[in-house]
Amino acid sequence: MPRNYKTDNKPAVDLFSRNIDDINNQNRQVAKKRKIVALLNRSEEDLTIPAICKKVKLSIPTGTKLINELIDDKIIVESGKKETDNGRRPALYRIDPEYAYSIGLVILLKGLSLSVYNLEMDEVYSITDDSFVLENSTECLEKVVAFIQTAVDKSKVNQQRILGMGIGITGRVNARTGYSYNYFNFLDGSLVDFFTEKFVFPVYVDNDTHVLGLAEQYFGKAKNIQNAFVLNLSGGLGMAIISNGEIIGGEQGFAGEFGHIQLGDSNRLCLCGKRGCVGTEVGGHALERNFHEHIEKNETSLLLTKKEEEKIDYLDILRAASKGDALSISITHNMGFKLGKALGNVLNLLNPGVIIVGGKFAPADAILMDSIKAGMLHTALSLPLRSCELTFSSIGSDAAIKGAGALVLSRMQLI
């Protein structure tokens, strides 16, 4: 049986895990140390003690004392000497990236993935269960817990050095309360409450598309962009909306349900129970449905010579399109055009500076770019369209997991 991680041991990351709401001198010192660690971890360059003190507004004696204590705790390390024109060269300092770790977990309809990251967000361990199928059941939740426990064991990372775990789960999620409304909604408390009882480290949860947006914001093409759309175009369709530098959650965390905008030219029944949702026409599952409908009309595809029809998925269709299969190209272009029309409407509403297509479709930029742009021309106003860049994610297939790991460091202001 997997061991229970809820222990009474004092974490090595006590600096960030302890409650400092009570106003006393000890907690004031902890708060100052947190500022120093956060500054160094966010800094793009190593810093001297005077530079650290200036940025966190501490006197040199106080800052030196606190930094020396952080060095003794092996949180801060000396990284070299600063080049100067004359005189003694001052020491430079940085955070030891192996001082602490964050966990990113993504729970999808089909598939479970976990990665462990150090403070520089370098991946130190990863594991995936492609056989996992998400169900709203106690048994499924127990599988997730066992998966996490096994992963932490195999990673060989000391659990006392884990700052927290960020979870991105499909469906509607309230990140503020920690509730998942579509899956594991049978719990007496929130999903965060449940996992916090199981593990010694704190847990944060959000929608899988929102954590994908967080990854783009910190590591991708939305970095330093104030207003952006990040599309999660995979089996389904979702959107993370970045406005004034912040990912918009909405009143209950449901903002970005782009797949449920009414497209107007579809009568397909959506999983939500309504008809005409853009997600019934755009996304991997929609692409598969379109492919099968064309085959039923006696159209042909090179894919049929390589796989049985019922085993062909949307990734097969995208690969076939890139190799010149006429049917695959046609239905992919048609899907891109419909996506562009829907995007144009939202572009008129919110005027983003960039639209980033992420998810499993991100590598299909050569096939989709022109058709999406053509669709946007049909609905978007010329001025907001002219000022908006359409691009595709470059982070890779682990973007959502990395965003889930970044969720922990973001909450602690470490990135």
Side-chain angles (χ1 to χ4, degrees):
M1 294 290 292
R3 56 195 173 94
N4 191 327
Y5 279 83
K6 194 70 178 178
T7 69
D8 294 325
N9 297 332
K10 181 180 178 182
V13 291
D14 181 58
L15 177 65
F16 283 90
S17 63
R18 67 184 294 175
N19 187 327
I20 60 171
D21 290 340
D22 292 337
I23 299 176
N24 57 51
N25 186 60
Q26 185 179 29
N27 285 346
R28 289 193 190 95
Q29 300 303 303
V30 171
K32 292 173 183 176
K33 287 182 178 180
R34 285 184 182 178
K35 288 183 179 181
I36 293 170
V37 173
L39 167 70
L40 283 175
N41 206 60
R42 292 196 303 265
S43 177
E44 294 183 357
E45 58 182 7
D46 300 345
L47 299 173
T48 64
I49 287 180
I52 295 170
C53 294
K54 181 178 181 180
K55 288 178 180 292
V56 296
K57 298 179 180 179
L58 290 174
S59 67
I60 297 293
T62 299
T64 302
K65 173 179 176 296
L66 295 176
I67 290 168
N68 284 332
E69 290 176 2
L70 290 168
I71 293 172
D72 291 340
D73 290 336
K74 303 186 186 307
I75 299 172
I76 290 178
V77 294
E78 184 176 333
S79 58
K81 301 291 184 180
K82 184 176 180 179
E83 294 295 333
T84 57
D85 293 333
N86 50 56
R88 183 178 178 183
R89 294 191 300 161
L92 291 166
Y93 296 93
R94 64 177 176 85
I95 298 298
D96 178 359
E98 308 303 323
Y99 154 66
Y101 302 88
S102 67
I103 295 175
L105 174 71
V106 172
I107 307 172
L108 301 178
L109 292 174
K110 293 182 180 180
L112 192 59
S113 300
L114 180 147
S115 291
V116 180
Y117 299 94
N118 66 16
L119 286 177
E120 292 180 345
M121 285 304 297
D122 293 326
E123 186 180 81
V124 299
Y125 177 78
S126 67
I127 187 171
T128 298
D129 181 2
D130 291 325
S131 66
F132 174 83
V133 176
L134 180 58
E135 298 173 347
N136 191 31
S137 67
T138 302
E139 293 76 17
C140 183
L141 185 54
E142 289 174 352
K143 287 180 183 178
V144 174
V145 172
F147 176 81
I148 298 168
Q149 291 173 332
T150 300
V152 172
D153 279 341
K154 289 184 175 180
S155 74
K156 302 188 185 307
V157 170
N158 182 349
Q159 62 141 342
Q160 300 296 330
R161 290 194 175 275
I162 297 174
L163 281 170
M165 177 170 63
I167 300 174
I169 183 171
T170 189
R172 279 163 281 289
V173 176
N174 188 325
R176 289 193 294 270
T177 63
Y179 276 90
S180 171
Y181 288 85
N182 295 95
Y183 296 97
F184 311 137
N185 54 16
F186 50 80
L187 296 168
D188 291 334
S190 71
L191 192 59
V192 164
D193 293 335
F194 173 83
F195 280 115
T196 301
E197 284 299 312
K198 296 291 182 181
F199 300 97
V200 70
F201 41 78
V203 176
Y204 310 95
V205 64
D206 207 337
N207 171 266
D208 61 317
T209 298
H210 286 175
V211 297
L212 180 71
L214 198 66
E216 289 293 342
Q217 191 174 30
Y218 283 114
F219 316 111
K221 293 182 177 179
K223 191 172 184 179
N224 300 321
I225 300 294
Q226 288 297 299
N227 301 286
F229 295 162
V230 181
L231 291 183
N232 185 2
L233 183 57
S234 296
L237 175 64
M239 178 188 285
I241 302 169
I242 299 173
S243 179
N244 295 323
E246 298 288 336
I247 293 181
I248 301 301
E251 184 65 25
Q252 290 184 291
F254 305 157
E257 289 290 350
F258 180 57
H260 295 285
I261 287 178
Q262 300 294 305
L263 190 61
D265 55 359
S266 171
N267 194 40
R268 286 180 176 175
L269 182 65
C270 181
L271 290 172
C272 71
K274 297 177 176 60
R275 293 186 183 274
C277 293
V278 66
T280 65
E281 295 286 344
V282 176
H285 301 315
L287 194 62
E288 291 168 8
R289 182 171 176 176
N290 292 339
F291 180 85
H292 296 308
E293 286 180 354
H294 281 268
I295 295 300
E296 288 173 5
K297 295 176 182 178
N298 295 320
E299 296 188 41
T300 60
S301 167
L302 292 174
L303 279 173
L304 296 178
T305 65
K306 299 177 180 179
K307 269 190 173 184
E308 296 177 19
E309 183 185 340
E310 61 272 14
K311 294 182 180 179
I312 294 172
D313 63 23
Y314 69 91
L315 295 176
D316 294 323
I317 298 169
L318 290 176
R319 283 190 288 268
S322 68
K323 294 177 180 179
D325 181 59
L327 176 58
S328 298
I329 292 171
S330 175
I331 61 174
T332 303
H333 279 176
N334 187 44
M335 190 200 77
F337 183 78
K338 290 179 178 179
L339 172 59
K341 286 179 67 178
L343 281 171
N345 286 314
V346 189
L347 187 149
N348 292 338
L349 182 67
L350 295 174
N351 188 205
V354 63
I355 297 174
I356 303 161
V357 180
K360 298 290 187 181
F361 278 74
D365 53 336
I367 305 168
L368 282 170
M369 179 72 79
D370 289 342
S371 59
I372 294 175
K373 285 183 176 179
M376 292 169 67
L377 278 170
H378 275 253
T379 52
L381 295 170
S382 59
L383 287 177
L385 181 60
R386 194 181 308 159
S387 64
C388 180
E389 177 190 4
L390 175 67
T391 186
F392 284 67
S393 176
S394 59
I395 298 179
S397 59
D398 63 342
I401 310 169
K402 195 166 187 177
L407 180 61
V408 177
L409 302 189
S410 175
R411 293 291 183 92
M412 298 182 178
Q413 299 182 326
L414 286 169
I415 55 175

